[in-house]
Every structure is written in structure tokens, then in C-alpha cells.
Amino acid sequence: MQNKPGSKKTIAIIGAGISGLSAAAYAAQAGNKVHVYEKHPQPGGRARQFKTENGYVFDMGPSWYWMPDIINGFFSDFGYNATDFYHLVSLNPQFEMIFQDGIVKVPESYEDLKALFETLETGAGNKLDSFMKSAKYKYEVGMQDFVNKPCYSWSEFFSPKIAVSAFKLDLLSNFRAYVSKYFSHPKLKALMEFPVIFLGASPKNIPALYSLMNYGGYVLGTWYPMGGFYQLVLGMKKVAEEQGAVFHFNQNVEKIITEEGVAKGIMVNGEFKEFDAIIASSDYHHTETLLSSELRNYGEKYWESRTFAPSCLIYYLGFKEKLPNLKHHTLFFENDMDDHIDTIYKDKKWPDKPLFYVCCPSKTDPYVAPLGHENVFLLMPLATGLPDNENIREYYLHDMIKRLEQHTGINDLISKLDYKRSYCVDDFINDYNAYQGNAYGLANTLSQTAVLKPSIKNKHLPNLFYTGQLTVPGPGVPPSIISGKIVAKEVNNLT
């Protein structure tokens, strides 16, 4: 490389998912010439959106708008607020949890949430204050001092502030034991444990540090951008373009070309394009297959040994009539949570008695469904790498629909469908080159945290970097935004 630190470079970004959009904006802001290559006809990656001929608008992936301060932090770095690009609505209730013996509604107001806890368990309201005080501390330290590091070495974490914070962060205690110190009622435990399921392991194997998610969700609120989650994608793309980033769609990157220990460029739709540096926002494992084996950071045995966050079965459904008793977000937890979790992380099989999640954005947003109709998104977490076919998908659809009928009081919901599309393991592989069809990246277990995650930098090619949910800081929309920022800074400092 001939560039001096901080000098302007030509940078290729592979993939226009959340981390790619973030990296593009920050790299271009620093004055680099940035080109983003995306194999799909639109940006967003897993956060894409599609519209049907009969008037439905479906967000394909993320639907929980949590940690609004982190998301807004991206826009503020460029002189904007998130609300300059879309209208945010605070949901009330934030969501409902359906249990075998009743429903728990999580209210918008924290005081109302305390009251709810108190009704289920005497003294739990004050205990929630203590829990959230600690969770707020973890959130502020974790989301500021921990997650913004490139994680090349543990020495990055040797600072007086982090040393003082280490004990309070509960890095070595597990999340389930931690929650049990505060609450004993099974519904309260389920309410506090549910957010970490998508981090990629049982609450028994997730560090208690991640109680920060309870604060980032329940206290900071659950929001919805009118027009759908895709409005965030469009806002990020606009910001990146204003910095000078150029997007190329329907452009599949087939190979990373190397020469004398440097990544020279990429092959895109059969054409070579030369760059000073490359940032891969594509699936990490897939990106490495674009290199010869001796230039990869990790071999197949490494990936086989990793613990992955779930894949999932998704159904995008359009109903010809309104569904009563259904909220914007609903969690169907009538079955045992540990049994389902074990099928994801331990037994690696399709669940016998699944839990699932329903998003019905048409309860909030008239834009996403025809008048008098309902837009419904079903999601069931699954182990990665499972056999996947339409018959299996349909079996679970009917299971979920039956439970939806019981909740809404409407019979024969299948006959009221005027749109149906499924999405599962094979689709994640085909659309995103996702390793074993993972939907959420690598699990945030203690053995896969910080420096122990796949490196953001190629060990053999100094100008090739990785960003996204398979590297630091981890899965989720806010961490992916942060990941793009971290990598852009590292590339800008490249010599």
C-alpha cells in the first residue's frame, strides 16, 4: 500500500446491509472514494423490504426498533436526527407475551411496568428499579466503552474506567442466575430472559452483562418507524450518498483478487475493479471463500466449532380482514422456553412445541396493508443447518395459525389469507450466503465475545476488513451500525 495514514483511498464495500451502509457513510465522510456492491436490487440485506401486487408492504427481517439512542447516534454523526428521515412511534403496549394461563402486556411507561411487576410478585417493582439501575450502568459503559473497539487485543480494554467497571458489568455470571437473584415469578423471568434468546444461546450461557438489553428495550422503549423498518435503511443510504458513496445494485462480487500480499480489487459480474482497500459486509464465512484457502483467517473446522445465533422460519401473511386482540408485537410463550431453546443450541432439531413471535405492523401503520386488511409477520427461531422444505414449513405454519386463532378468536384463518410467503434456512443461504442459514450471526457467549470473535482484519492481507454480525461487536441492528463505524475508522487509518 502506498497510502499514508488518513490519506484518501478508493474503497470497495461488499454488501449493502446495515453494517455496509454504516461503513460506507463513515468511510466516505473521511473523504475516501467509496463504492458499494450489492447483489440484490436494493439495499438493506436482511433488513430489505418487499411490496406485493395486492398492496402489502413487508419488512423482511428486523422489526424491533430498540436502542433508539444508538441508531440516532449514527445520524447525529452526520448532522441529522433519525426523525429527519422517518416518523418514530412509541408503541403502547411495547408488546404482549401469551402464556398458557394468561397474557402479560408490557406497558410503554416505566412506572406502569413497575406496577405490573408488583402485581405479579410482591416487592418486584422495587427489585426492577435495582435491576434497571445496574442495567443502565452496563448499557452506558458497554455501549460506549466496550463495543466501539476493534478488538485486536485485550489490551484495548486495559483502562482505569473499564477496570473499575469490570465487576459491575457481571461478565462472568450467567444471565439466568442473574435474573433469578431479582425475580422468582416464572412470567417475570420469561419477560426478562426473552431478549437474549436472539443473542445466540440459552440464558444459562449468556453473560449477565446483557441485562443492558432489558434497559435498551423496556426503559428506552419499543419504537416503530412509520413506513416500516426499511425507512432506517433508506435513511442510512441517503446519508452515505450525501457523503459521496456510490451504490451499485445487482452486482455480485465473485472473487477478491490478491497480489503480493495485498487485496488488489474484486471481480464483479465477471469484471475486475481495482481498489486500495476492501470492506466485506457480506457473510464472513462466504467472504473468505472468495479468497484462496491460504489467505483465509479461518478454516472450516473453526466455523464448525462456533456457536451460532438462530436461524428462523418466517411467514409473511396478508389477511383479508382485521384480527382482533392482536398487538403490534406479540410473543407466543405458551410452551416451555427451555425445551425450545434446547432444540436450537443443544439438540439441533425442529422443535416439538415451539415458541414464536408475531409482528402486526398494520395495527400501527396503515401504509403496510390494504384498507381493512392485516399485515402479519410470523417468526419461529430455529437451529442453523436444519433440513428445510415446504412441507416442514407448512406444518409449523398450521401450528402457529392454530394458536393465533385461539388468541384472536377467529376460526379458519387460513381461508382469510390473500398473501403468503415463507422464508427459512435455505433462503438465508441462497439470498445472503449465510453460513448454515444463520439469521443473526454468532452467539454472544463469553467464549465468543470481543477479541474472541472473528477478527475485523484479514491476517494475511492488510487492506481487507470484515464488518457485520459475524464479527465485533455482534448481532443486531445497533451493533451492526457500530461495526461499520469501527471498520471505517480502521480503514481510514490504513497505511
Side-chain angles (χ1 to χ4, degrees), residues 12 19 45 48 94 97 118 172 274 322 340 342 475 477 491:
S19 63
R48 290 180 297 153
Q94 297 188 40
M97 292 187 82
E118 193 66 30
L172 299 179
E274 186 174 3
K322 288 293 184 181
H340 188 136
D342 284 347
V477 170
V491 173

Side-chain angles (χ1 to χ4, degrees), residues 256-485:
I256 297 172
I257 305 300
T258 63
E259 185 181 307
E260 297 179 350
V262 174
K264 297 294 290 184
I266 53 178
M267 290 295 293
V268 184
N269 291 352
E271 182 181 351
F272 173 70
K273 297 182 183 294
E274 186 174 3
F275 288 95
D276 296 323
I278 298 167
I279 298 173
S281 173
S282 45
D283 178 271
Y284 199 123
H285 172 270
H286 169 72
T287 301
E288 298 243 281
T289 68
L290 305 180
L291 297 163
S292 55
S293 58
E294 71 274 9
L295 296 177
R296 299 171 188 172
N297 279 351
Y298 308 101
E300 288 300 315
K301 288 186 178 179
Y302 171 86
W303 293 108
E304 291 169 4
S305 71
R306 298 299 89 187
T307 300
F308 276 81
S311 184
C312 54
L313 169 63
I314 298 171
Y315 268 93
Y316 310 100
L317 305 175
F319 288 95
K320 293 180 282 188
E321 62 184 63
K322 288 293 184 181
L323 305 185
N325 304 320
L326 192 62
K327 303 301 182 186
H328 191 116
H329 294 301
T330 308
L331 299 161
F332 283 76
F333 271 50
E334 317 99 301
N335 297 326
D336 186 82
M337 181 164 69
D338 283 344
D339 284 350
H340 188 136
I341 287 172
D342 284 347
T343 68
I344 298 174
Y345 306 115
K346 183 180 175 183
D347 304 325
K348 292 279 187 176
K349 67 176 186 178
W350 285 84
D352 295 323
K353 295 182 177 180
L355 311 178
F356 70 102
Y357 154 64
V358 179
C359 181
C360 187
S362 49
K363 294 296 183 186
T364 305
D365 189 350
Y367 167 77
V368 299
L371 185 65
H373 293 222
E374 212 81 279
N375 175 317
V376 173
F377 168 103
L378 307 180
L379 184 149
M380 189 176 79
L382 294 171
T384 57
L386 292 182
D388 173 24
N389 61 59
E390 203 59 39
N391 288 336
I392 296 175
R393 298 183 188 192
E394 283 289 311
Y395 172 83
Y396 285 96
L397 171 64
H398 284 270
D399 178 90
M400 291 186 282
I401 287 289
K402 181 179 178 181
R403 290 154 69 183
L404 196 56
E405 287 173 345
Q406 293 171 348
H407 179 60
T408 60
I410 298 180
N411 296 322
D412 197 19
L413 279 176
I414 290 287
S415 71
K416 304 179 192 307
L417 286 172
D418 64 347
Y419 184 81
K420 181 180 75 171
R421 176 183 175 185
S422 64
Y423 203 94
C424 199
V425 174
D426 289 351
D427 298 296
F428 282 102
I429 294 170
N430 293 333
D431 283 358
Y432 309 120
N433 302 300
Y435 182 77
Q436 293 190 345
N438 81 83
Y440 298 97
L442 275 180
N444 271 345
T445 59
L446 192 58
S447 62
Q448 294 180 168
T449 294
V451 176
L452 302 177
K453 285 189 183 291
S455 175
I456 66 167
K457 190 173 185 179
N458 186 280
K459 300 168 186 175
H460 312 284
L461 305 165
N463 61 333
L464 173 60
F465 294 80
Y466 310 83
T467 185
Q469 60 183 12
L470 287 176
T471 183
V472 293
V477 170
S480 290
I481 291 173
I482 293 167
S483 183
K485 183 177 183 178

Side-chain angles (χ1 to χ4, degrees), residues 76-88:
S76 66
D77 282 345
F78 301 91
Y80 290 109
N81 288 307
T83 50
D84 293 328
F85 298 92
Y86 44 82
H87 175 56
L88 275 176

Side-chain angles (χ1 to χ4, degrees), residues 95-106 113 116-121 124 128 175-176 179-180 182-195 197 214 218 331-337:
F95 60 91
E96 283 190 345
M97 292 187 82
I98 312 298
F99 295 99
Q100 194 120 35
D101 58 349
I103 300 172
V104 173
K105 297 182 181 182
V106 176
L113 183 64
L116 167 67
F117 271 58
E118 193 66 30
T119 62
L120 290 172
E121 181 180 320
L128 181 65
F175 192 80
R176 170 155 292 172
V179 168
S180 295
Y182 290 88
F183 312 108
S184 58
H185 196 289
K187 289 180 182 175
L188 295 184
K189 287 183 175 181
L191 184 65
M192 302 308 279
E193 288 182 356
F194 123 76
I197 291 175
N214 298 103
Y218 300 166
L331 299 161
F332 283 76
F333 271 50
E334 317 99 301
N335 297 326
D336 186 82
M337 181 164 69

